[in-house]
Amino acid sequence: MKKQWLKLWFNPFERIAGFRALLWGFIGLIISTLLSFLSQWHYHGLLHFGPAPNPAWWCFAVEHLTVWLIPATLFYLGGLLFSRSRIRLIDVFGTVAFAQLPFILMNLFAFLPPMQKMLKINLASLPLQEITKQPVFLASVWISLLSFIFLIWVLILMFKALKVSCNLKGYRLGIVYCVAVIGGDLICRLIIGLCYK
């Protein structure tokens, strides 16, 4: 029973895929976007989070859509290139959206007082030594490390999503995953950066 429970948490895609995964993932994306808007905590990319100069609601929507669509597109293209199986678009995009559900829990950490106080400090105008002297700095670092657990969970789920939806194994799986996550983060940062100009 314990093994099945862990499998459901870390590899739900043997049971959940296609439209059902896409529906749950899209609902999660809406909730995650709303939480980010309320806390004013931005997604600068797939692997980068923090304050940003645009508080508009549409900016948060663009961030979350970009963080979902760019890696999913790269997974899909990688699957088409490297997989011998028939790849379904809805499976890839649905499982990637579902894999990002733990972002909801990660976003809750941004509501904690130290994180909200750090948002009010103009980090761009202060040298690093001054930032580290801020009373809330240490607490916000610890909170960030705790919330980082949920980012790792997302990355594990995205790996499983790619493996199942594109039927990839071995070095092909590793190559597509690394290119999509690292390259996807860079592309996301470039696109999202346009929202801050």
Side-chain angles (χ1 to χ4, degrees):
M1 183 70 180
K2 187 179 179 182
K3 192 176 180 181
Q4 289 178 339
W5 182 252
L6 282 172
K7 197 172 183 181
L8 183 65
W9 281 98
F10 289 98
N11 189 14
F13 305 116
E14 290 178 8
R15 295 185 179 186
I16 302 167
F19 181 76
R20 193 159 63 129
L22 182 62
L23 179 63
W24 280 108
F26 196 72
I27 290 168
L29 185 139
I30 292 168
I31 294 168
S32 186
T33 303
L34 180 62
L35 289 173
S36 289
F37 173 70
L38 292 173
S39 69
Q40 290 296 299
W41 200 253
H42 289 264
Y43 282 46
H44 302 152
L46 179 61
L47 306 173
H48 295 84
F49 316 93
N54 191 344
W57 68 268
W58 60 264
C59 181
F60 293 92
V62 168
E63 289 169 1
H64 283 73
L65 284 169
T66 304
V67 166
W68 165 46
L69 293 174
I70 295 299
T73 301
L74 294 174
F75 279 3
Y76 182 69
L77 294 174
L80 291 177
L81 286 171
F82 288 98
S83 179
R84 296 185 180 100
S85 303
R86 181 175 169 268
I87 310 299
R88 293 197 326 154
L89 189 72
I90 193 167
D91 286 333
V92 178
F93 281 76
T95 54
V96 171
F98 192 92
Q100 294 185 354
L101 284 175
F103 278 151
I104 294 171
L105 298 171
M106 192 177 84
N107 288 336
L108 294 175
F109 283 86
F111 287 94
L112 294 174
M115 302 302 278
Q116 287 295 304
K117 286 176 184 175
M118 282 299 288
L119 280 176
K120 291 173 184 172
I121 298 169
N122 189 354
L123 300 176
S125 66
L126 291 175
L128 183 60
Q129 289 179 338
E130 287 298 317
I131 294 169
T132 57
K133 288 178 184 175
Q134 298 297 319
V136 294
F137 175 75
L138 193 58
S140 64
V141 168
W142 281 108
I143 291 167
S144 296
L145 288 173
L146 285 172
S147 67
F148 190 67
I149 293 167
F150 296 98
L151 173 61
I152 293 169
W153 188 9
V154 167
L155 293 174
I156 292 169
L157 288 176
M158 285 179 65
F159 180 82
K160 299 292 186 180
L162 173 63
K163 184 177 180 180
V164 172
S165 66
C166 294
N167 194 24
L168 287 170
K169 295 176 183 175
Y171 75 90
R172 289 183 176 92
L173 174 61
I175 289 169
V176 174
Y177 181 76
C178 290
V179 168
V181 169
I182 298 169
D185 180 58
L186 293 172
I187 296 168
C188 287
R189 291 177 74 185
L190 288 171
I191 294 169
I192 291 168
L194 298 174
C195 297
Y196 307 148
K197 293 181 179 179

